[in-house]
Amino acid sequence: LIPIKAQDNAWVASTFTQMVDRGIIPMIGLALLFLSYFLESGSIASERSKPFLSLRFWALALSTLLGLAFLFIAPLHMNNTRILAEQSSKQIDDRAANLTADLNSKVQQRQDQLTAALKDEKQRQQLDQQLTQIGQAIASGQLKGDQLAQATQAQKELQQLKSDPSAIESKAKDFRNQGLIKITDEQKQLKAQAETDFRKTSVRVGLSSLLLALGYSIIAWTGFREMGVFRGSRLKAPVR
C-alpha cells in the first residue's frame, strides 16, 4: 500500500488483486484464534461481562472491517478494470493509427523513389541490367524451388514497371492494402485478447472479494452475538 498511487489505475488494480489473493490468510488466523478460545475453558463467561477488554472482541472488529473492505473492493475493482480496458483499447487503436501512418509514409516515399528512378536514364540502365542478370540466372537452371519462383516474380514486376511506369501506383496501392489488412487483423486480435483478460480478472477478483466479505461478515456476526455484544442476543453465563 505504500506509496499510495490512487490516481494510477494499474496500481489500484494490482493492489486490489493482491489484497484479494491474500484475503484468506487473516481468516485462517482468526479461525485459529477462535479455536484456541473455544478450547480454553471458562474464558467465555469473563468475555461476556467485559467484551471490550477481550482480544477476541478486537479480532471480531477486525473481521468486520475486513468484511466491509472486501465488500467495497468488489465494485471498485470492476469499475477500475473497465477503465483499464478502455485505456488499453485506446492504446491499441493509437498504435494501429501510428502503424498505418508509418505504412502510408513509407509506401509514398518508395513510390516517389521508383517514379523518379524510371525517369532517370542511368536508373533505367540499371533496371535493364537487373533484368538481364535475373534472366541469365533463370536460364542457367541454377535456381530451384522458392528461389526460382521469387526470381520469376521479380522479373515479371520489373518488366511491368519498365513497360508501364503507371503500374507503380497500382503496386503501391496493393502493398498498402496488404499492410492495412495485417494491421487491422492484429488490432482486432489484441483488443479481443485484452478484453478477455480484463473480463476474467474482473470476474475472478470481484467474486472472490464478495465471498471474502461474506465470510468475514459471518465470522464477525456470529462472534459478536455469541459474546452478547448485540442487545437482545446476549447469552447468560453458564451456571457453575
Side-chain angles (χ1 to χ4, degrees):
L1 296 177
I2 299 174
I4 296 177
K5 302 177 182 178
Q7 301 300 323
D8 187 349
N9 292 320
W11 178 87
V12 173
S14 176
T15 301
F16 284 166
T17 301
Q18 294 184 52
M19 290 177 65
V20 171
D21 289 342
R22 292 164 172 77
I24 193 65
I25 298 176
M27 189 176 293
I28 295 175
L30 291 172
L32 294 175
L33 177 65
F34 298 149
L35 177 62
S36 67
Y37 272 100
F38 176 77
L39 296 177
E40 184 180 1
S41 60
S43 63
I44 298 179
S46 61
E47 287 180 0
R48 284 174 179 161
S49 60
K50 295 180 179 180
F52 298 103
L53 300 180
S54 169
L55 175 62
R56 189 166 68 159
F57 174 85
W58 297 108
L60 292 172
L62 175 61
S63 180
T64 303
L65 181 62
L66 290 174
L68 292 174
F70 285 114
L71 181 63
F72 284 109
I73 282 177
L76 289 175
H77 179 74
M78 290 181 178
N79 181 67
N80 188 69
T81 303
R82 177 187 61 80
I83 296 174
L84 285 175
E86 293 176 353
Q87 292 177 349
S88 177
S89 178
K90 185 178 182 303
Q91 290 176 355
I92 294 173
D93 291 338
D94 292 341
R95 178 178 179 274
N98 292 333
L99 290 175
T100 301
D102 186 57
L103 173 65
N104 292 332
S105 176
K106 290 182 178 180
V107 169
Q108 186 62 44
Q109 183 180 4
R110 184 57 177 166
Q111 182 179 349
D112 294 340
Q113 289 175 350
L114 290 175
T115 302
L118 292 176
K119 293 180 180 180
D120 187 359
E121 184 63 27
K122 292 183 179 180
Q123 296 289 341
R124 292 181 65 87
Q125 292 177 0
Q126 292 180 1
L127 179 60
D128 292 336
Q129 293 177 0
Q130 291 180 6
L131 286 171
T132 302
Q133 293 174 358
I134 294 175
Q136 292 176 352
I138 294 175
S140 66
Q142 297 176 355
L143 302 178
K144 303 292 183 180
D146 293 340
Q147 292 182 346
L148 179 60
Q150 292 175 1
T152 303
Q153 180 66 22
Q155 183 186 43
K156 180 180 178 181
E157 292 178 352
L158 290 175
Q159 288 176 344
Q160 184 179 10
L161 291 177
K162 180 181 177 181
S163 60
D164 184 15
S166 62
I168 295 177
E169 184 176 354
S170 176
K171 289 291 183 181
K173 183 178 180 180
D174 293 340
F175 183 79
R176 181 186 292 109
N177 290 337
Q178 293 176 2
L180 290 176
I181 291 174
K182 182 178 180 180
I183 292 173
T184 302
D185 291 343
E186 183 180 3
Q187 179 186 14
K188 291 180 179 179
Q189 291 177 1
L190 289 175
K191 293 181 74 172
Q193 183 63 42
E195 183 179 355
T196 301
D197 292 342
F198 281 119
R199 184 184 298 113
K200 288 182 178 180
T201 301
S202 177
V203 172
R204 181 184 70 83
V205 177
L207 290 179
S208 298
S209 182
L210 290 176
L211 290 175
L212 288 171
L214 179 62
Y216 281 113
S217 299
I218 291 176
I219 291 174
W221 172 263
T222 304
F224 280 136
R225 187 177 60 176
E226 195 279 332
M227 291 181 68
V229 174
F230 302 121
R231 291 184 177 180
S233 61
R234 185 184 298 273
L235 300 177
K236 296 182 179 179
V239 179
R240 295 184 180 274

